[in-house]
Amino acid sequence: MHRMNKLFLFLLLLPFTACTEGVIEDKTTDTVTIQEPLVKAVDVDGFEKAMQQKNVLILDVRTDGEVAQGVIPGAVQMDFMNRAEFENGVASLDKNKQILVYCKVGGRSAKAAEYLKGKGFLSVYDLRGGFDAWSAAGKQTETIQK
């Protein structure tokens, strides 16, 4: 019986100890929606489809040398290997935008996506296979001047 009392007390107090980060209150209906940060790993077609949405930022986390080979149109570069530059750049981004992130083959972008998630970005898409997969699929690329 003593064990049941502890369990009951735990369940009773649990809602008061839960983290409130990511909670959005809907004032019109008096409901609360939990919105957890989300990272979606998507293929080339899924990435291209996500690019068509509104309020999107395409983030290239490759080095300058890699970017010289071309970028996905509209991408902004923030070199993940230069952590100070990357972290400063991320601090200036709008957390309400959908962030579409890619690197050369997918390793760094997966880490960058998790970093963004940890910083409170609510919607992050990671391109599986990176720029190499994008190029191999014959998708449009462009060169940028630095």
Side-chain angles (χ1 to χ4, degrees), residues 4 29 42 44 68 81 89 103 106 118 126 135:
M4 290 298 285
T29 62
V42 294
V44 170
M81 300 302 283
C103 64
D126 177 26
S135 297

Side-chain angles (χ1 to χ4, degrees), residues 7-111:
L7 179 60
F8 177 77
L9 183 60
F10 173 77
L11 292 174
L12 182 65
L13 294 176
L14 185 62
F16 299 107
T17 62
C19 177
T20 59
E21 186 173 330
V23 174
I24 298 174
E25 192 170 338
D26 183 346
K27 302 231 186 260
T28 60
T29 62
D30 294 329
T31 61
V32 175
T33 305
I34 305 298
Q35 188 170 353
E36 294 293 326
L38 175 67
V39 173
K40 286 186 180 178
V42 294
D43 62 9
V44 170
D45 291 332
F47 197 85
E48 187 173 45
K49 185 177 179 181
M51 288 171 59
Q52 306 308 314
Q53 299 174 16
K54 293 183 181 181
N55 204 25
V56 170
L57 173 70
I58 304 167
L59 184 59
D60 185 327
V61 297
R62 297 177 300 155
T63 65
D64 289 342
E66 292 168 318
V67 167
Q69 299 170 5
V71 299
I72 294 174
V76 173
Q77 182 203 15
M78 289 185 196
D79 182 355
F80 186 72
M81 300 302 283
N82 182 339
R83 288 306 290 233
E85 176 187 308
F86 180 77
E87 290 173 5
N88 288 335
V90 166
S92 69
L93 298 178
D94 181 354
K95 291 182 181 181
N96 295 312
K97 285 194 177 219
Q98 293 187 67
I99 309 296
L100 283 61
V101 62
Y102 71 95
C103 64
K104 180 169 174 41
V105 295
R108 283 173 285 171
S109 62
K111 292 176 184 175

